[in-house]
Amino acid sequence: VLATTLLQNVPGELLEIQVPSGSKWAGKSLREVRLPRRAVVAALARGEESGIATGDTVLQANDQLIVFAPLGASARLESVFRK
């Protein structure tokens, strides 16, 4: 997890997560990633490009993900992408 932001009056947080080099999720679709319940990948940045992420988005090493997640989910998200 690169950054975390709490949102005022919203029961959750925005997280910026990088897909590490050598991640088992590189080359897999976002649909295959086992995210914590109610966590949603909202956007993806890859190099100079960014856009809305969908279940069909195929992850690559060093992708930056913007994830909306329930409070306290950051440790679980970090462990998912660390593998």
Side-chain angles (χ1 to χ4, degrees):
V1 177
L2 301 174
T4 301
T5 301
L6 295 176
L7 302 172
Q8 187 174 5
N9 299 323
V10 178
E13 56 189 334
L14 282 176
L15 305 156
E16 181 181 0
I17 299 171
Q18 182 173 7
V19 178
S21 180
S23 170
K24 74 177 186 177
W25 300 115
K28 306 257 180 168
S29 71
L30 199 49
R31 180 176 287 115
E32 298 175 77
V33 179
R34 308 275 303 182
L35 295 173
R37 187 172 171 210
R38 297 189 323 236
V40 177
V41 177
L44 177 141
R46 179 178 293 149
E48 298 296 317
E49 298 182 23
S50 61
I52 303 300
T54 69
D56 295 327
T57 300
V58 176
L59 298 175
Q60 295 180 13
N62 302 313
D63 281 353
Q64 303 280 94
L65 307 175
I66 303 300
V67 181
F68 178 75
L71 289 173
S74 60
R76 171 78 175 107
L77 280 162
E78 190 168 11
S79 73
V80 166
F81 285 99
R82 192 176 24 210
K83 297 177 183 178

